[in-house]
Amino acid sequence: MPGKIIKVTGGQRLRGSVRISGCKNSCLAIMAGSLLAKGPVTLRNVPDISDVHTMTEVIKSLGVYCDFKDNTLVIDATCIPNTHTDYKFVSKMRASFNVLGPVLARCGEATISRPGGCDLGERPIDYHIAGLKKLSANVIDLQSSLEVSHTGLKGTSIFLDRDSVGATEQIMSTACLASGTTRIINASIDPDVIELSRFLQALGANIRVSGKVIEIEGVRELRGTEYNIAFDRIEAGTFAVFGAITKGDIIIKDIIPDHLSSFLLKMKDAGVGIELIDNGDGTDLRVFLNGRPSPTDIFTSPFPGFPTDLMPGFLTLMSVAEGTSVITDTIFVDRFKFIDELKRLGVNVKRNSEQVCMVNGTDALTGADVKSTDLRGGTALIAAALASVGETRIHHIEHILRGYENLTGKLSGLGAETSMIEEA
Ligand code: EPU
């Protein structure tokens, strides 16, 4: 079936400034967390992307009021009439699974379809289930779905084998309405988790973060609030790659440098010019590069490590470096599917194992027809296309539209030759 494609004609050095949208992943977690509040929640700076639209559908399917326009979202979960989340949502977007704990905590029961594998390989939910059980929930695992109920959630200490972002968010949200104190040990301290904790505090939750321990003192009820979604550090990093790979000179407005420190240090190692500019109200990021980048190895790990979501972009930047780089992703078991499409543009990359790739830099990328295999892999294709000679047509862009607001508009504003068109 024909759909939209993104067309890019490479060769333009990007110039000018760009403003980053609200963060997809913290917004999705905060939307799920809004179900904990008995009262209206107003979220501002919400990115207009398809994942947010899917999450509004999930929330509406629970019978909860949810209205999204002009980057503002209102959710009023004073009543949650339905406690079942359907397969059609969970299979489309894994973040839908985050509604489980809040619905359980509010309603005493919840059923949800089990998320399967995804574009990045197998993605288990064992830490989520174990965490809810530790909080005294009853979990019946029906293979294709989960039935969860409780007769009183109780706080306790929970150790996570891995500092999973989603499991930390699920347990932290649920524990807000449990009796007593919950301690999550080896919790994720990813900026998305910290943003969610700030939002929950604005609802009246009692949460303290100390190192990698998150302590939640349960309360009886949470109220509505107004909250501003912070900038998307992955979108900011993606634009930094676009700026560098085109040998451009761009300003990315209003970032929080601490959210991007590992990435920015690795960009510097690669010879990319990185400058933080005080703009009076906050910090702008200038990214510039004249020649080719230097080869640089990366190894992804949980925050404050190098973010897995910026690995595809960085790998692509290394595809034009003067030498060979080793790229290791320790987070997901199958995050390199996109490299086969990059090879169609002339990228010289070889997979050594499921989680390790070697990239030999070249300065001869050429446009071609390619397809996006996942969200971040999709923007890696755009980065390569911007550095290629000739035209690239990127198909299956539904993956890209999940997470980037007005991507071609923002790129055009920086001087890229790109547009989104109907496939013939
Ligand atoms: N894991 C388990 N068991 C669990 C949960 C996780 O074994 O119960 C494993 C995962 O399979 C993975 C590792 O732990 O190997 C880390 O996964 P994590 O739970 O931290 O990831 P997530 O919450 O599923 C979020 C983002 C991802 C981002 C990761 C890591 C959302 C909606 N998704 O996923 O974002 O890559 O954290 O930072 O917040 C993206 O935006 O493109 C994206 C994939």
Side-chain angles (χ1 to χ4, degrees), residues 24-25 94-95 120 122-128 162 164-166 190 308-309 331-332 335 375-376:
K24 169 180 86 86
N25 287 343
R94 212 188 131 83
L120 314 179
E122 198 201 355
R123 288 175 77 179
I125 48 167
D126 49 339
Y127 306 155
H128 296 246
R162 278 181 84 160
S164 151
V165 174
D190 190 279
T308 174
D309 293 343
I331 305 291
F332 292 112
R335 200 164 199 171
L375 169 63
R376 311 299 176 188

Side-chain angles (χ1 to χ4, degrees), residues 22 33 60 68 70 83 121 159 163 171 187 203 255 277 353 389 392 412:
K60 284 181 188 167
F68 181 35
D70 300 332
T83 56
F159 169 72
D163 43 358
I171 296 166
L203 298 182
I255 67 145
I277 303 164
S353 69
V389 174
T392 297
S412 301

Side-chain angles (χ1 to χ4, degrees), residues 127-278:
Y127 306 155
H128 296 246
I129 296 176
L132 294 178
K133 282 184 177 166
K134 286 249 158 92
L135 291 172
S136 300
N138 309 306
V139 180
I140 303 174
D141 192 341
L142 298 169
Q143 271 183 68
S144 64
S145 65
L146 297 169
E147 278 181 15
V148 190
S149 61
H150 76 83
T151 50
L153 293 171
K154 291 184 195 64
T156 185
S157 289
I158 298 171
F159 169 72
L160 291 177
D161 287 328
R162 278 181 84 160
D163 43 358
S164 151
V165 174
T168 305
E169 292 171 342
Q170 185 89 267
I171 296 166
M172 178 170 69
S173 301
T174 312
C176 288
L177 293 181
S179 63
T181 308
T182 301
R183 259 178 223 99
I184 310 174
I185 295 149
N186 194 31
S188 162
I189 48 163
D190 190 279
D192 296 337
V193 172
I194 303 303
E195 269 300 300
L196 175 63
S197 75
R198 289 204 180 108
F199 167 74
L200 294 171
Q201 282 164 335
L203 298 182
N206 207 337
I207 301 175
R208 277 180 304 279
V209 182
S210 163
K212 284 179 69 68
V213 177
I214 299 183
E215 192 171 278
I216 307 115
E217 193 71 50
V219 295
R220 292 183 68 82
E221 206 170 278
L222 295 170
R223 55 176 182 265
T225 193
E226 296 202 2
Y227 199 79
N228 205 42
I229 304 293
F231 89 114
D232 193 316
R233 70 189 192 286
I234 305 303
E235 187 193 359
T238 305
F239 271 90
V241 167
F242 293 156
I245 204 166
T246 59
K247 301 184 179 122
D249 190 343
I250 64 168
I251 303 277
I252 301 170
K253 309 282 289 174
D254 288 320
I255 67 145
I256 303 171
D258 284 352
H259 288 191
L260 275 167
S261 31
S262 55
F263 170 76
L264 295 178
L265 289 168
K266 281 291 180 178
M267 290 289 270
K268 279 186 184 170
D269 288 350
V272 177
I274 295 290
E275 205 181 301
L276 296 173
I277 303 164
D278 185 348

Side-chain angles (χ1 to χ4, degrees), residues 401-414:
L401 302 181
R402 288 182 58 181
Y404 292 87
E405 183 178 56
N406 186 26
L407 183 58
T408 50
K410 288 179 183 177
L411 274 169
S412 301
L414 294 170

